[in-house]
Amino acid sequence: FSKEINRFFSSTYRRLSEGLVSTEKQAIHEYDLTVLGRKLLALFARKRNKLQLTPFLTTKRLVLDRCVFRYEPRGKDKFRWVLYDASWYPTEPKRKKQRIFSSERVVRSAAWLVNNGLYDHHMTAVEMVPNPTGVTFNDLVGLLKHLQSFFGPVHYLGSNSTGFDQPATIDRIMLIIDMEELEKLKKPKTIDVIYRNTWGETFTESYSYDEGLGTLIKYARELKVKNFRDLVERFVVHLPDSAKENRVAKRILEEICENMGLEQGYEYELLAHQLRAHAG
């Protein structure tokens, strides 16, 4: 039903925009029409690595009472992180789980949960079935809490025109180091990047450490920050709780600052210390 509503919005806008082109006088200003089109694009358009908004148009509450993460086989030598809604609803005769999302990376599943407003640290009980990856329960809960505090759900999307009058650019970035590696940070192997643009669209990407660092620097430049303080407000590094040391966060910040030409004086050392204290 939600897909049908999405198609209705998109087709209505298309007919509206095509019809106004042939009309000399129109009641809708071109600016408003442009903003409307961009809002619809942000809400419904499918793009590579984008987290789709999935409205639950039922009597179910938005924030889940209970959710379960399972690492399940999917074909030969392939696995996926599957997310289940395990909340109990009065209309259901018995307690049951409903599959709501799946992804190859636990970071993407966690980001989808937060982005859609289904998780709240104070309200949602999280469970994780034991798995052969390097993800521990504390790692998962720590990631969800950090995602909620830094990104939060995209409830505000479309509520005003801020950001939609300009082309979309990256607004904030989170870097996650070795979330699924069994040996943490002896030498970083993988990174997950989550970023949200000025239209409220959220994307996740996964790389090997060396490959991802170059992409990360390119994304950081798009933030167009003026100093290091601006950078750490819009760019954060997340390290799993099971990581034994977190000097890698400082190394990454140093390299990004060097490539962006940002000063690294006393203020840099102070804020880098604060970041290391909160990383993960």
Side-chain angles (χ1 to χ4, degrees):
F1 183 48
S2 64
K3 290 181 180 179
E4 184 177 341
I5 292 176
N6 292 354
R7 286 194 296 269
F8 169 77
F9 275 122
S10 300
S11 61
T12 300
Y13 173 77
R14 186 166 54 251
R15 290 196 303 271
L16 180 65
S17 59
E18 291 174 352
L20 289 176
V21 172
S22 60
T23 305
E24 293 182 2
K25 295 182 179 181
Q26 59 186 44
I28 301 178
H29 193 275
E30 184 177 352
Y31 169 86
D32 295 324
L33 190 62
T34 299
V35 168
L36 173 61
R38 287 174 173 175
K39 286 182 179 181
L40 291 173
L41 188 68
L43 283 167
F44 304 127
R46 294 186 176 275
K47 299 178 182 178
R48 180 177 174 81
N49 299 321
K50 178 179 174 179
L51 291 174
Q52 293 299 129
L53 291 178
T54 308
F56 289 80
L57 300 178
T58 67
T59 57
K60 296 184 178 182
R61 52 189 159 275
L62 188 61
V63 177
L64 303 183
D65 284 344
R66 178 170 168 257
C67 65
V68 179
F69 285 76
R70 289 179 59 98
Y71 190 64
E72 300 182 356
R74 181 178 179 267
K76 185 178 180 180
D77 299 326
K78 293 184 179 180
F79 292 84
R80 293 181 74 84
W81 285 95
V82 182
L83 184 58
Y84 291 92
D85 173 8
S87 306
W88 180 81
Y89 301 100
T91 56
E92 296 177 350
K94 60 181 180 180
R95 193 180 186 92
K96 63 180 182 180
K97 295 184 296 185
Q98 178 184 1
R99 175 173 170 160
I100 55 177
F101 188 75
S102 67
S103 172
E104 293 181 357
R105 299 289 295 176
V106 71
V107 167
R108 184 170 176 83
S109 293
W112 178 89
L113 192 69
V114 171
N115 197 55
N116 277 275
L118 299 173
Y119 171 82
D120 183 271
H121 172 62
H122 300 288
M123 300 173 62
T124 307
V126 177
E127 298 178 17
M128 186 183 70
V129 178
N131 62 84
T133 75
V135 182
T136 68
F137 177 74
N138 287 339
D139 287 347
L140 177 60
V141 172
L143 175 63
L144 287 166
K145 288 170 62 178
H146 203 174
L147 286 170
Q148 183 183 6
S149 64
F150 187 65
F151 289 108
V154 197
H155 292 322
Y156 66 86
L157 184 62
S159 61
N160 56 59
S161 299
T162 304
F164 289 99
D165 56 345
Q166 299 293 330
T169 57
I170 294 178
D171 181 62
R172 52 183 46 220
I173 304 169
M174 178 182 287
L175 169 67
I176 300 96
I177 305 290
D178 281 351
M179 187 65 190
E180 298 188 36
E181 296 300 323
L182 291 170
E183 296 183 0
K184 307 293 185 183
L185 300 181
K186 288 186 176 180
K187 183 180 179 182
K189 294 182 179 180
T190 60
I191 63 175
D192 291 271
V193 181
I194 306 174
Y195 61 91
R196 181 174 289 173
N197 65 25
T198 50
W199 290 3
E201 297 174 298
T202 306
F203 301 80
T204 72
E205 299 175 3
S206 301
Y207 301 95
S208 65
Y209 180 78
D210 293 334
E211 178 189 9
L213 202 55
T215 301
L216 187 66
I217 291 171
K218 181 184 71 173
Y219 288 168
R221 287 198 185 108
E222 193 171 328
L223 293 173
K224 298 180 180 178
V225 296
K226 297 180 180 179
N227 51 51
F228 181 74
R229 183 176 293 275
D230 289 342
L231 177 65
V232 296
E233 288 179 355
R234 298 169 60 192
F235 173 88
V236 296
V237 180
H238 178 89
L239 301 172
D241 289 347
S242 56
K244 298 184 184 302
E245 57 90 12
N246 56 16
R247 286 174 293 177
V248 67
K250 183 180 178 181
R251 293 202 303 269
I252 291 171
L253 278 172
E254 288 173 344
E255 186 158 351
I256 289 176
C257 287
E258 182 179 347
N259 277 272
M260 295 175 66
L262 299 179
E263 294 292 334
Q264 300 180 27
Y266 170 77
E267 182 185 63
Y268 171 87
E269 292 297 331
L270 176 63
L271 291 174
H273 173 74
Q274 294 173 349
L275 178 67
R276 292 197 300 274
H278 290 89

